Amino acid sequence: QVQLVESGGGLVQAGGSLKLSCAASGRTFSSSAMGWFRQAPGKEREPVAAITWNTGATYYVDSVKGRFTISRDTAKNTVYLQMNSLKPEDTAVYYCAADFLEIRVADVGYWGQGTQVTVSS
C-alpha cells in the first residue's frame, strides 16, 4: 500500500520560510515524478513544483520561481519543498503528489493528505 506522509506546514509571516517534506512508502517512483500541488479556498488545485525521480529535472509554476526549491532524497524516498520569501497568496493546503508524467491533477497516481500553509501579511 502506497502512502505519502507530509510534514512541515504551519503559520509564517510574509517574507518567511517553511520547508515541506513528503515521505513515500510502499513503492518507489523511479520512472515518473513526485511533486507538490496546492489548493487555496475556493480555488482549484494547481501544480506548484515537480521533480523527476531518475534525473532530478525540476519544474516550477511561474509564481514560485526563484522562491521555492524542490529536491529529493532517493535513499529516503522523500521529496522536499523549500519555500522562501513567502507571500500571503501562497496560503493554501499543499499536497504531495506522486507517480505522474504530466504535472496535472488528473495524471497523479497518489496523493498525500495535505498540509496547511498560512502566510500572514
Side-chain angles (χ1 to χ4, degrees), residues 10 17-18 22 25 32 44 47 60 65 72 79 109 115:
S17 298
L18 284 173
C22 173
S25 62
S32 59
E44 293 186 352
Y60 298 94
K65 284 180 180 177
R72 87 252 194 258
V79 65
T115 185

Short mmCIF file of all heavy atoms in Angstrom, two decimals, residues 10 17-18 22 25 32 44 47 60 65 72 79 109 115:
data_model
loop_
_atom_site.label_atom_id
_atom_site.label_comp_id
_atom_site.label_asym_id
_atom_site.label_seq_id
_atom_site.Cartn_x
_atom_site.Cartn_y
_atom_site.Cartn_z
N GLY A 10 2.53 25.12 8.34
CA GLY A 10 2.37 25.95 9.52
C GLY A 10 2.02 27.38 9.17
O GLY A 10 1.65 27.68 8.03
N SER A 17 10.02 31.64 5.78
CA SER A 17 10.32 30.39 5.07
C SER A 17 9.68 29.20 5.78
O SER A 17 9.48 29.23 7.00
CB SER A 17 11.83 30.18 5.01
OG SER A 17 12.48 31.21 4.30
N LEU A 18 9.39 28.19 5.00
CA LEU A 18 8.95 26.89 5.51
C LEU A 18 9.54 25.82 4.60
O LEU A 18 9.79 26.07 3.42
CB LEU A 18 7.42 26.78 5.50
CG LEU A 18 6.62 27.51 6.57
CD1 LEU A 18 5.12 27.39 6.26
CD2 LEU A 18 6.91 26.96 7.95
N CYS A 22 7.84 15.17 2.25
CA CYS A 22 6.88 14.12 1.88
C CYS A 22 7.63 12.81 1.78
O CYS A 22 8.47 12.63 0.88
CB CYS A 22 6.20 14.46 0.57
SG CYS A 22 5.14 13.14 -0.07
N SER A 25 6.15 5.65 1.01
CA SER A 25 6.38 4.26 1.39
C SER A 25 5.51 3.36 0.53
O SER A 25 4.49 3.79 0.00
CB SER A 25 6.09 4.03 2.87
OG SER A 25 4.74 4.31 3.15
N SER A 32 8.89 7.93 -12.89
CA SER A 32 7.95 9.04 -13.00
C SER A 32 8.43 10.19 -12.12
O SER A 32 9.62 10.33 -11.89
CB SER A 32 6.53 8.60 -12.63
OG SER A 32 6.50 8.11 -11.30
N GLU A 44 -9.24 25.98 -7.56
CA GLU A 44 -8.90 24.62 -7.97
C GLU A 44 -7.48 24.26 -7.52
O GLU A 44 -6.64 25.14 -7.33
CB GLU A 44 -9.01 24.50 -9.49
CG GLU A 44 -10.42 24.63 -10.02
CD GLU A 44 -10.50 24.35 -11.51
OE1 GLU A 44 -9.44 24.21 -12.14
OE2 GLU A 44 -11.61 24.27 -12.03
N PRO A 47 -0.73 22.88 -9.77
CA PRO A 47 0.64 22.41 -9.57
C PRO A 47 1.54 23.53 -9.07
O PRO A 47 1.34 24.69 -9.42
CB PRO A 47 1.07 21.94 -10.96
CG PRO A 47 0.20 22.69 -11.90
CD PRO A 47 -1.09 22.94 -11.20
N TYR A 60 8.72 24.33 -12.13
CA TYR A 60 8.08 25.24 -11.18
C TYR A 60 7.02 26.06 -11.91
O TYR A 60 7.22 26.51 -13.04
CB TYR A 60 9.10 26.21 -10.57
CG TYR A 60 10.19 25.55 -9.79
CD1 TYR A 60 11.41 25.23 -10.38
CD2 TYR A 60 10.01 25.24 -8.45
CE1 TYR A 60 12.42 24.62 -9.65
CE2 TYR A 60 11.01 24.64 -7.72
CZ TYR A 60 12.22 24.33 -8.32
OH TYR A 60 13.21 23.72 -7.60
N LYS A 65 8.78 30.57 -9.00
CA LYS A 65 10.15 30.51 -9.49
C LYS A 65 11.03 31.52 -8.77
O LYS A 65 10.65 32.67 -8.58
CB LYS A 65 10.19 30.77 -10.99
CG LYS A 65 9.72 29.61 -11.84
CD LYS A 65 9.78 29.92 -13.32
CE LYS A 65 9.30 28.75 -14.16
NZ LYS A 65 9.27 29.08 -15.60
N ARG A 72 14.92 16.04 -3.85
CA ARG A 72 14.55 14.70 -3.40
C ARG A 72 15.75 14.00 -2.81
O ARG A 72 16.89 14.28 -3.18
CB ARG A 72 13.93 13.86 -4.54
CG ARG A 72 14.96 13.09 -5.41
CD ARG A 72 15.07 13.72 -6.76
NE ARG A 72 15.77 12.85 -7.70
CZ ARG A 72 17.04 13.03 -8.05
NH1 ARG A 72 17.75 14.00 -7.50
NH2 ARG A 72 17.61 12.22 -8.94
N VAL A 79 10.65 13.64 -0.81
CA VAL A 79 10.74 14.86 -1.60
C VAL A 79 10.50 16.05 -0.68
O VAL A 79 9.73 15.95 0.29
CB VAL A 79 9.75 14.84 -2.78
CG1 VAL A 79 8.31 14.84 -2.31
CG2 VAL A 79 10.00 16.00 -3.73
N GLY A 109 -1.06 9.76 -9.57
CA GLY A 109 -1.47 8.43 -9.12
C GLY A 109 -1.73 8.36 -7.63
O GLY A 109 -2.63 7.62 -7.19
N THR A 115 -1.13 19.45 3.80
CA THR A 115 -0.64 20.19 4.96
C THR A 115 -0.90 21.67 4.74
O THR A 115 -0.66 22.20 3.65
CB THR A 115 0.86 19.91 5.21
OG1 THR A 115 1.29 20.54 6.41
CG2 THR A 115 1.74 20.38 4.05
#
